[in-house]
Each structure stands twice: as structure tokens, then as C-alpha cells.
Amino acid sequence: MANGTQFDEYQSVMLTTLADGELHSGQEIANKLGVSRTAVWKHLQKLEAAGIALETVKGKGYRIVGGLELLDAATIQHHLPAHSRALLTRLEVLASASSTNDQVLSQARQAGSGYVCLAEQQTAGRGRRGRQWISPFGKNIYLSAGWEYEGGAAVLEGLSLAVGVAIVKAFSAAGIPGVQLKWPNDVLWQGKKLAGVLLEMSGDASGRCYVVVGIGINVEMSEHDAKDISQQWVDLHSIARENSKNNPGRNLLAALLIEQLFSVLESYAGKRFVAYKNDWQALNAFSNQPVILTTSNETFSGKMSGVTDAGALVLDCDGQEKVFYGGEVSLRGVSGDT
């Protein structure tokens, strides 16, 4: 793990040892760490406190049931094509972060374009409108990437939608079918939320600025971890099982995401959203369907006609077109799907 993690050297070694899902005796772990059995037990408590489910089998040892595929920077870079590796200025993998967006924003001035941060767990992950993003340890993808632009917010119109297209392309490359997009920041599968995008910006709103693209993906969520999620959700593990496919590894998936994300970020200032509009329209989960759109003080009903060249939503309200931009806007189908 990179610096900034919440685990010390002993706990990191212990986590790596137990990640294979096999039983390891307390004595084996103690010998590997060069500590007492009592110290092993204390370090195990630290792992459990981070939300890692450990099983103790009397007389045999300890294990993480089902194992964990820990994120590894070298493995992710190995999966990247040469052009993406050339654009990657820094790749950081943390055991824990308040949020990966916060981490990238804090390093914006030094890191510049091409800085990517992933975390095994977020302690204060967030989605749109300040909602909490549930972030169990070692199960999902929490990834943020930073990029510098000239021209401020105007250059970034529609970027979150273009990022959605990039995510679907990464899923497709990983063998995950049937993924759709919900304006402006959600990624769905059969109407259930699979992933989300959160963009944050620092710098000059009309000049040189730094945008952070945060992506959260449900890879393998338990019902217990998701008990506080208020909307329908799905994870890649369930989708793969339903389609008789192997669940893509998190390191490979992270590499596919970085590849597709960099493809968008590198050229977005010149292309703008219009270059991704047709792809987004083809993936629109509510295309030509009746929807209900709620702003901070009004509610509108109509048929979703699509999006503009700048990524704004176009709503057909009894033959009258209304255009809505991002911000405090909620969209749902008339059946109640959010």
C-alpha cells in the first residue's frame, strides 16, 4: 500500500497474507510478522475494525471468507496500454481515504493532469447532492482522476455524461453487457444503480481549472453493507453470475476504466460533449420514456427527448420542450425508478 493508509506495516502484511481466502494459523502469522500471538490478535482486531470480515476456525486459524483481490498499482499499470501509461503521471493506491476526490483535490497543484487515486475504502465517500457513498473495504472501485483545463467551467459542459460513456465502454471490454446511463451521473443495469460519477472543480471558473472525476462502482456488495442504500442497486458480481460470466478482477477493471477515462479527458477540451452525444443517446435508460423531473422548487412531468450538444436534458412537456442543466435536479421514471 502507498503512504497515507490507515494500516501499519504489520497489518498490511497480515491483510496480504489473509487475502487468499485460505486458513492461516496464528502461529504462522506470528512467525511471518515476528511478533507474539497476542500481537497477532490485536492486529486482527484492527482489520475487523476496518470492516474486513474475518472468520476464526478453532485449532486451524483465521481467514477472509472468499478472499480479497487487493488493488495493486503495478498490476493495474501492467494492464494499461502504452498510451495510457504515458498519460499517467501518478497512480496511488490507498488502504483508506476520506474520499478519493478529496485526495486528488489536495494534490492538484503538484500532481497536474494524469493523477489517479484509488482506495480500498472511503470513510467519507459521497455522491451527488451530498449523499453518502457506501464504501466497504476491498469490495468495490473508488477511483478519482485529475486533469487540468484552460477555459474553466464552459469547457467542462457535459463531461460527466461523456465519462458515463467511458465507463460503459470499460464494462463492455470487461464482458459486462446491458449497461445503460441515467442523466446526468448514474450508470444502471436493468434499472438498478451500478455506478456513479461525481465531478468537482478547483481553480478559476473561467480560466485555468482542475477537474476531478470520481467514479464509484459496486463490484461485490453484501446486503449488510448496502442496508443504508435507499435506492435499488446491483453489483458486478451479481451481473456476472446472472450472465454465466466470470466477475472481472478489480485491478483489470481499474485499468480498463483509466484507459477509457483518459481517452475522454485527454481530448475533451477540443471535442466537447457533442463528440459523445450519439453514444450517450444510445445508452439513455429513459430514452423517449415518461419521466418526472424535480428541481429544488418545481416538479415537471414529460417525455425525455434526449440531451443537447452541451449535455443538458431535454424534456417534452405536452409538446413544449424544456431544457434542464445539472445541479439540484432529480430524475425518475413514472414507475418510480430513480
Side-chain angles (χ1 to χ4, degrees):
M1 299 290 181
N3 59 355
T5 67
Q6 70 177 46
F7 296 135
D8 63 24
E9 181 182 353
Y10 293 121
Q11 291 141 16
S12 295
V13 171
M14 185 178 292
L15 182 59
T16 302
T17 301
L18 296 172
D20 63 6
E22 302 295 328
L23 282 166
H24 296 271
S25 71
Q27 191 59 55
E28 173 196 344
I29 297 171
N31 292 342
K32 180 174 287 190
L33 297 180
V35 299
S36 67
R37 293 284 296 275
T38 301
V40 167
W41 181 75
K42 290 180 178 179
H43 288 308
L44 287 169
Q45 286 187 309
K46 180 75 170 180
L47 297 184
E48 287 187 307
I52 300 168
L54 297 174
E55 181 183 41
T56 302
V57 180
K58 190 173 181 179
K60 293 187 177 181
Y62 312 93
R63 67 182 171 189
I64 298 173
V65 179
L68 287 175
E69 183 197 1
L70 297 172
L71 295 169
D72 179 73
T75 303
I76 294 170
Q77 291 190 66
H78 172 75
H79 287 303
L80 286 174
H83 184 66
S84 298
R85 285 199 303 271
L87 293 173
L88 185 66
T89 56
R90 180 179 173 190
L91 176 60
E92 189 167 27
V93 176
L94 303 177
S96 180
S98 59
S99 81
T100 54
N101 267 29
D102 287 346
Q103 177 67 17
V104 176
L105 279 169
S106 72
Q107 302 294 315
R109 183 171 296 179
Q110 299 93 331
S113 295
Y115 170 37
V116 176
C117 177
L118 295 105
E120 295 286 6
Q121 183 180 51
Q122 296 182 125
T123 58
R126 57 191 182 276
R128 288 186 68 238
R129 307 174 77 180
R131 294 188 180 96
Q132 181 187 13
W133 189 271
I134 305 300
S135 308
F137 186 95
K139 293 294 187 180
N140 300 324
I141 293 287
Y142 322 115
L143 178 154
S144 296
W147 214 270
E148 287 184 309
Y149 291 97
E150 297 287 351
V155 175
L156 306 178
E157 286 184 333
L159 178 57
S160 66
L161 279 71
V163 169
V165 173
I167 294 172
V168 175
K169 288 183 178 180
F171 284 149
S172 179
I176 302 298
V179 181
Q180 294 182 298
L181 298 173
K182 181 175 87 72
W183 186 91
N185 295 323
D186 288 352
V187 182
L188 308 180
W189 187 81
Q190 294 188 358
K192 299 175 181 179
K193 187 162 181 175
L194 173 61
V197 179
L198 177 65
L199 265 60
E200 297 183 280
M201 189 184 81
S202 65
D204 190 340
S206 59
R208 189 171 186 81
C209 65
Y210 192 79
V211 65
V212 178
V213 179
I215 299 172
I217 298 174
N218 299 330
V219 178
E220 187 175 355
M221 289 276 280
S222 70
E223 293 290 340
H224 178 266
D225 289 331
K227 66 182 184 300
D228 294 326
I229 298 178
S230 60
Q231 64 188 116
Q232 288 190 311
W233 61 272
V234 70
D235 61 15
L236 289 179
H237 183 76
S238 302
I239 297 171
R241 185 173 61 243
E242 186 165 324
N243 288 274
S244 300
K245 295 179 179 292
N246 292 324
N247 192 20
R250 289 197 303 146
N251 285 294
L252 173 59
L253 181 59
L256 293 171
L257 279 170
I258 293 169
E259 177 185 358
Q260 295 297 334
L261 183 57
F262 277 11
S263 177
V264 171
L265 296 177
E266 179 190 19
S267 58
Y268 197 78
K271 288 184 174 181
R272 305 292 180 96
F273 175 69
V274 68
Y276 303 93
K277 178 181 176 181
N278 289 341
D279 286 341
W280 194 94
Q281 301 265 47
L283 296 166
N284 181 7
F286 290 134
S287 180
N288 294 313
Q289 293 184 27
V291 295
I292 297 171
L293 187 146
T294 304
T295 68
S296 57
N297 53 14
E298 288 185 275
T299 297
F300 301 87
S301 298
K303 182 175 70 175
M304 185 173 180
S305 298
V307 292
T308 68
D309 288 352
L313 182 148
V314 181
L315 192 65
D316 183 345
C317 300
D318 295 326
Q320 180 182 5
E321 284 195 343
K322 296 182 180 294
V323 178
F324 299 87
Y325 294 85
E328 298 300 304
V329 178
S330 175
L331 178 72
R332 63 183 175 90
V334 294
S335 62
D337 294 333
T338 302

